[in-house]
Amino acid sequence: MASLSDIGVSALINILSAFAFLLAFALLRIQPINDRVYFPKWYINGGRTSPRRSRNFVGKFVNLDFRTYFSFLNWMPQAMKMSETEIINHAGLDSAVFLRIYILGLKIFLPIAVTALLLLIPVNVSNGALSFLKKELVMSDIDKLSISNVRPKSVRFFVHIGLQYLFTFWSCLMLFKEYDYVASMRLKFLASQQRCAEQFTVVVRNVPHTNGRSASDAIDHFFKTNHPDHYLCHQAVYNANKFAKHAKRRAQLQNWLDYNQLKFERHPDKRPTSKTGFMGLCGKKADSIEYYKQQIKDLDRRMTLERQKIIKDTKSILPVAFVSFKSRWGAAVCAQTQQSRNPTLWLTNWAPEPRDVYWRNLAIPFVSLSIRKLVISISLFVLVFFYMIPIAFVQTLANLDGLERVAPFLRPVIELKFIKSFLQGFLPGLALKIFLYVLPTVLMIMSKIEGHIALSTLERKSAAKYYYFMLVNVFLGSIVTGTAFQQLDAFLHQPPTQIPRNIGVSIPMKATFFITYIMVDGWAGMAGEILRLKPLVIFHLKNMFLVKTERDRENAMDPGSVDFPETLPSIQLYFLLGLVYAVVTPILLPFILVFFAFAYLVYRHQVINVYNQRYESAAAFWPQVHSRIIASLLISQLLLMGLLSTKKAANSTPLLVVLPILTLSFHKYCKSRFEPAFRKYPLEEAMAKDTEEKGSEADMKAYLADAYLHPIFQSFEVEEIEEEVVQVRVDKHQAHTASPPSEPGSPINYVHHPSPPLYVHHPSSPPQYVHHPPSPPHYAYDESFPPHYVYAAPPSPPRYIYHHEEH
């Protein structure tokens, strides 16, 4: 078990590591060559340009202004300058509310820490119960500061019970105020939003097959019949594996064409050439620019044919669609009601925002969803218990004293002072961090298999799985296995009736292990987060070997985003540790406070300068955050009841029975009072917003025409194919849209819509274009996804709506 000296060694190692990371970050961030790594958010927003453009050769790589080296820590005050409203406008409500979790941690634990340290430590230290058990149990100096040091049947336990009530009431008060504030922030954010496609759109799944009708016609008929006054249009989802492969190939060819054109501009005296054989290693030489132009031209023809083939094949239409309404009120009614007498058909829900859609799971049938969730639940159960093995291994490192008693031959190596301090004070937390490294990726894959259709939902479900894992394995598993290893000698040589007493005394002693984990993960880990060592190395490797054009350089700039699947469960573990050990071992609380303060500063900087969120869920994750803090309160109360029962405190323990009941009642009230704001959109709010923003039906059709356009109908550049433009109508009575040239001289990008008939425009009758506001984010193909799925690209420039007049 880690002693005070071992904790000191661990603190020294972690503080030095954190300081080294922060110093490296402060120096690396001011170098021009690293500017895109540490300020990508501003590049994406257009608020920053490369500092390398206006400098000499050396100045493009190294900062030659030596004055900046003396103010290298100015990132800390700069991170605190932006107000919460500015953060919402700059990074979104999700990022702002995420930061409030750390503020909540400080609000809860700062008063608790001061109170516990001033009142409980004197009560625990002065009783001296452990001095009578030191021959039977393994203990350290830190344990003398815990409740384990209070003698059985002592009246001092009334102090712990009273403070447990006080801490619970204080935590609930802070949770109530924060829930109320975040709910009001969400409603205010939704009310202040400009017109967005997801406000008018629902996603419909499990569309039944109708004889004599295509899926698109069935959807149109159903909603015109059941929502005649509010239904506007719909967009079908298509299965297009082959087309997606063509799109991936075209993106690669376009990249090579851009590279060779740029190369020719730099050296106009020499045309670039390349071999046309396998991977450019063999075959005859050809002019690279002309070769790739011809390749793109041929591929565009094949993509056009493939797209038309998909349109004509009714089997390629999946039983799912995005249905748009004329008003928010109409969409709210549809999304929040049952559409069919059969509850498994015509399943409606609010559509995620366009960039939040995870296309791969849209076509999964209802029956398959149930089976998938069952399989994943069983798999998660197996995974949790499989991970008990490495957790048990970690605990052997944390409890070397108990291991020495069972295996004395290891004593010569273990007893070396520095090695023992390193093994007990630093290595257990580091080993646990390593074992948990790959787990979030595995849990995300499991969530995708479950069939959720939004990235935000996928991340929340992954976070839930990770939280259960942290609760069972990291917290309860460490206590159970750690106690077994720690008191192994006592367990083996004492009667079974004494085992509960040993466990009751030993649970507070695990505080030393969790202190080392907090320092590794919460101190050094946070400093490593701001350093961004992995993105830094990957960016420069791509810059050296893969970047050929400016577009490549932008793609190499990986801003990342708040990693909700991993970060939220980790924060909730800290809440759990703080609430459990506030009364049991209060010396742990200062380490928790350092984590919350430091993490708040780090993530504030990252949200402002680095992260670019992939979606905006308007703080939809807050109910889970609140529920899991409530769960932490309940666990702390139950553990304290169990602990006091081993202390023979029969007179005082019953006083705690009321506390879980009061906590559950508080949670039930908060759930009914605030959670509907995160689950449903009030019809009152929807009607008020519709009244405020009244627009014509034609404007709504134009706005929603391609908001959820399937990837196969996304615009792509057509170079020298034909002069005629194919316009495909979205629905029988919808607008026909096309994107204008992005810059003078570039080919026109045409959006092809899903429903026949086809309208062919000839050069003799030029189309008329009407300017409309910028469209919502469009989808662009990403080769990192499976072949027929896409992710949301940044918002497109203003759209131009092509109006076809039928004669």
Side-chain angles (χ1 to χ4, degrees):
M1 177 182 294
S3 62
L4 279 175
S5 62
D6 298 333
I7 297 296
V9 170
S10 178
L12 179 62
I13 294 174
N14 285 288
I15 290 173
L16 290 178
S17 300
F19 182 77
F21 288 155
L22 291 176
L23 182 62
F25 160 73
L27 296 176
L28 289 171
R29 68 186 288 269
I30 62 177
Q31 307 306 320
I33 196 173
N34 299 326
D35 205 57
R36 289 180 180 269
V37 177
Y38 293 109
F39 300 97
K41 178 71 174 179
W42 295 101
Y43 279 91
I44 294 171
N45 290 349
R48 192 180 184 92
T49 57
S50 176
R52 303 178 66 191
R53 293 180 179 178
S54 58
R55 305 193 181 203
N56 55 41
F57 180 76
V58 177
K60 288 182 178 182
F61 300 94
V62 181
N63 187 352
L64 299 178
D65 185 0
F66 293 101
R67 291 173 298 179
T68 59
Y69 289 90
F70 295 101
S71 59
F72 62 89
L73 292 180
N74 64 354
W75 67 270
M76 294 184 181
Q78 287 176 0
M80 301 301 297
K81 284 182 179 179
M82 190 175 284
S83 67
E84 187 172 76
T85 302
E86 291 173 328
I87 289 178
I88 293 174
N89 296 329
H90 175 71
L93 185 64
D94 281 345
S95 299
V97 172
F98 170 73
L99 293 175
R100 292 204 64 85
I101 301 176
Y102 296 98
I103 297 176
L104 177 62
L106 292 172
K107 286 181 178 179
I108 289 176
F109 288 115
L110 185 58
I112 288 178
V114 173
T115 305
L117 292 174
L118 290 178
L119 296 181
L120 283 181
I121 287 186
V123 170
N124 294 336
V125 170
S126 59
N127 208 230
L130 289 180
S131 60
F132 298 99
L133 298 172
K134 60 184 179 180
K135 292 183 180 180
E136 303 176 24
L137 301 175
V138 179
M139 63 193 69
S140 70
D141 294 333
I142 291 180
D143 299 322
K144 296 177 182 178
L145 308 177
S146 73
I147 197 173
S148 297
N149 201 36
V150 180
R151 296 181 182 181
K153 300 182 181 181
S154 174
V155 294
R156 299 183 182 216
F157 289 125
F158 285 103
V159 178
H160 297 84
I161 293 173
L163 288 180
Q164 182 69 40
Y165 269 90
L166 179 63
F167 295 163
T168 298
F169 290 155
W170 173 254
S171 300
C172 289
L173 177 63
M174 292 296 101
L175 284 170
F176 179 84
K177 288 186 175 181
E178 200 66 25
Y179 212 155
D180 186 24
Y181 184 72
V182 173
S184 64
M185 285 177 69
R186 175 182 168 86
L187 292 176
K188 183 179 178 181
F189 177 79
L190 293 175
S192 65
Q193 272 188 317
Q194 297 299 318
R195 189 166 60 179
C196 299
E198 62 270 19
Q199 297 171 353
F200 300 88
T201 307
V202 301
V203 59
V204 183
R205 305 179 71 183
N206 214 24
V207 176
H209 175 70
T210 305
N211 291 329
R213 280 189 183 148
S214 67
S216 183
D217 289 338
I219 294 167
D220 189 64
H221 174 75
F222 180 86
F223 284 95
K224 281 183 176 178
T225 302
N226 296 287
H227 299 268
D229 299 328
H230 301 283
Y231 170 67
L232 183 65
C233 60
H234 75 274
Q235 291 168 354
V237 179
Y238 290 76
N239 190 355
N241 286 355
K242 188 174 180 181
F243 185 90
K245 292 178 182 177
H246 289 329
K248 178 180 178 180
R249 174 62 179 160
R250 192 188 189 285
Q252 295 171 346
L253 293 173
Q254 185 64 48
N255 203 37
W256 279 108
L257 176 60
D258 293 344
Y259 168 67
N260 283 284
Q261 287 177 333
L262 183 62
K263 188 177 179 181
F264 180 61
E265 288 175 7
R266 293 175 177 174
H267 305 284
D269 54 325
K270 183 180 180 182
R271 297 277 295 184
T273 60
S274 60
K275 294 182 178 181
T276 59
F278 177 71
M279 296 182 65
L281 301 175
C282 58
K284 63 178 183 178
K285 280 191 175 183
D287 184 290
S288 297
I289 296 176
E290 296 302 323
Y291 172 73
Y292 286 113
K293 280 184 176 180
Q294 185 61 39
Q295 290 282 309
I296 292 173
K297 182 178 178 180
D298 294 341
L299 189 57
D300 283 341
R301 291 181 182 276
R302 293 199 297 272
M303 291 175 72
T304 302
L305 294 174
E306 180 66 23
R307 178 152 48 185
Q308 292 174 355
K309 178 181 176 183
I310 293 170
I311 293 172
K312 294 176 182 178
D313 186 6
T314 57
K315 294 181 180 179
S316 64
I317 302 178
L318 300 173
V320 60
F322 293 97
V323 178
S324 298
F325 293 82
K326 300 174 185 177
S327 64
R328 296 173 180 84
W329 191 93
V333 170
C334 181
Q336 297 165 183
T337 56
Q338 182 175 314
Q339 303 302 309
S340 170
R341 65 173 61 93
N342 184 345
T344 65
L345 300 178
W346 298 102
L347 304 176
T348 57
N349 206 339
W350 281 108
E353 64 173 345
R355 56 180 177 162
D356 192 18
V357 177
Y358 185 68
W359 291 86
R360 179 173 189 172
N361 290 344
L362 280 173
I364 298 175
F366 184 81
V367 175
S368 177
L369 285 175
S370 303
I371 296 173
R372 285 165 178 254
K373 289 178 181 178
L374 176 62
V375 171
I376 292 302
S377 299
I378 296 172
S379 302
L380 181 64
F381 181 82
V382 173
L383 182 65
V384 166
F385 283 92
F386 170 79
Y387 254 81
M388 282 290 185
I389 299 173
I391 296 296
F393 170 74
V394 168
Q395 292 306 317
T396 63
L397 298 176
N399 302 291
L400 297 179
D401 292 339
L403 193 62
E404 281 184 21
R405 295 189 179 186
V406 179
F409 59 89
L410 296 176
R411 186 171 299 170
V413 177
I414 294 175
E415 283 300 321
L416 294 174
K417 186 170 182 57
F418 178 77
I419 291 178
K420 186 173 184 178
S421 296
F422 177 78
L423 289 177
Q424 291 192 325
F426 179 73
L427 193 59
L430 179 62
L432 181 58
K433 184 74 175 172
I434 292 172
F435 280 126
L436 296 177
Y437 182 75
V438 299
L439 189 62
T441 304
V442 175
L443 297 178
M444 174 58 78
I445 294 172
M446 295 172 72
S447 298
K448 289 179 178 178
I449 294 173
E450 279 184 319
H452 307 291
I453 64 170
L455 293 174
S456 55
T457 307
L458 284 172
E459 294 199 346
R460 289 198 297 272
K461 295 298 182 180
S462 298
K465 294 179 179 63
Y466 197 28
Y467 171 75
Y468 299 140
F469 182 90
M470 298 282 274
L471 173 62
V472 174
N473 274 1
V474 177
F475 181 69
L476 297 178
S478 294
I479 288 177
V480 173
T481 59
T483 300
F485 278 106
Q486 186 173 301
Q487 312 301 342
L488 195 57
D489 186 67
F491 279 24
L492 293 176
H493 296 93
Q494 287 190 0
T497 55
Q498 296 296 313
I499 291 179
R501 180 181 69 98
N502 293 334
I503 292 179
V505 173
S506 302
I507 285 176
M509 299 179 185
K510 292 309 301 174
T512 55
F513 167 75
F514 289 121
I515 287 173
T516 64
Y517 178 76
I518 292 169
M519 287 189 288
V520 171
D521 180 70
W523 297 8
M526 280 298 102
E529 169 66 28
I530 201 171
L531 179 59
R532 304 199 76 218
L533 186 59
K534 181 180 175 181
L536 177 69
V537 172
I538 292 175
F539 174 78
H540 287 302
L541 288 175
K542 287 182 176 180
N543 217 16
M544 291 172 59
F545 300 109
L546 300 179
V547 170
K548 301 182 286 294
T549 64
E550 191 64 24
R551 182 168 57 184
D552 287 341
R553 186 168 286 106
E554 292 176 1
N555 292 335
M557 181 179 63
D558 178 23
S561 60
V562 177
D563 190 7
F564 289 117
E566 183 175 0
T567 308
L568 289 182
S570 298
I571 302 173
Q572 288 149 7
L573 176 65
Y574 287 109
F575 275 102
L576 176 63
L577 294 176
L579 292 171
V580 167
Y581 283 100
V583 173
V584 174
T585 311
I587 195 64
L588 179 139
L589 292 175
F591 298 90
I592 294 279
L593 284 174
V594 171
F595 161 75
F596 277 114
F598 186 36
Y600 175 70
L601 183 65
V602 167
Y603 277 115
R604 217 174 196 277
H605 174 275
Q606 300 297 81
V607 163
I608 293 172
N609 297 305
V610 180
Y611 294 149
N612 184 46
Q613 290 301 113
R614 295 187 294 170
Y615 59 82
E616 176 60 58
S617 70
F621 56 83
W622 189 262
Q624 285 82 14
V625 173
H626 175 87
S627 298
R628 285 160 199 162
I629 297 176
I630 291 292
S632 300
L633 279 171
L634 290 171
I635 291 170
S636 68
Q637 295 157 8
L638 294 175
L639 286 180
L640 183 60
M641 290 172 61
L643 183 58
L644 291 180
S645 67
T646 65
K647 289 285 190 174
K648 301 178 182 179
N651 295 329
S652 56
T653 303
L655 296 175
L656 283 173
V657 174
V658 181
L659 202 51
I661 298 174
L662 295 176
T663 305
L664 286 172
S665 301
F666 167 76
H667 174 58
K668 185 177 180 180
Y669 172 76
C670 288
K671 190 178 180 69
S672 60
R673 170 66 178 83
F674 299 117
E675 191 167 323
F678 295 83
R679 296 288 177 262
K680 298 177 181 179
Y681 189 41
L683 295 182
E684 180 185 17
E685 295 281 334
M687 182 59 74
K689 191 70 174 176
D690 288 333
T691 305
E692 180 185 340
E693 291 184 6
K694 275 205 169 182
S696 67
E697 183 176 328
D699 288 340
M700 287 303 301
K701 283 186 178 181
Y703 178 73
L704 296 170
D706 60 352
Y708 288 91
L709 191 63
H710 191 275
I712 70 166
F713 299 112
Q714 279 300 325
S715 59
F716 65 95
E717 294 182 354
V718 182
E719 298 182 1
E720 303 176 8
I721 298 179
E722 293 173 294
E723 291 184 334
E724 57 204 30
V725 181
V726 180
Q727 299 289 347
V728 184
R729 193 169 65 177
V730 176
D731 211 297
K732 292 183 179 179
H733 304 287
Q734 292 186 28
H736 314 284
T737 70
S739 298
S742 56
E743 57 186 44
S746 66
I748 297 178
N749 300 334
Y750 296 106
V751 179
H752 297 256
H753 290 284
S755 300
L758 303 181
Y759 291 90
V760 181
H761 163 66
H762 294 280
S764 59
S765 57
Q768 297 179 351
Y769 295 99
V770 181
H771 182 73
H772 282 267
S775 70
H778 283 218
Y779 293 103
Y781 183 81
D782 183 4
E783 64 183 22
S784 64
F785 281 6
H788 59 293
Y789 307 109
V790 298
Y791 79 108
S796 69
R799 294 180 296 138
Y800 291 79
I801 306 305
Y802 171 76
H803 295 278
H804 177 84
E805 296 182 2
E806 296 187 13
H807 299 286

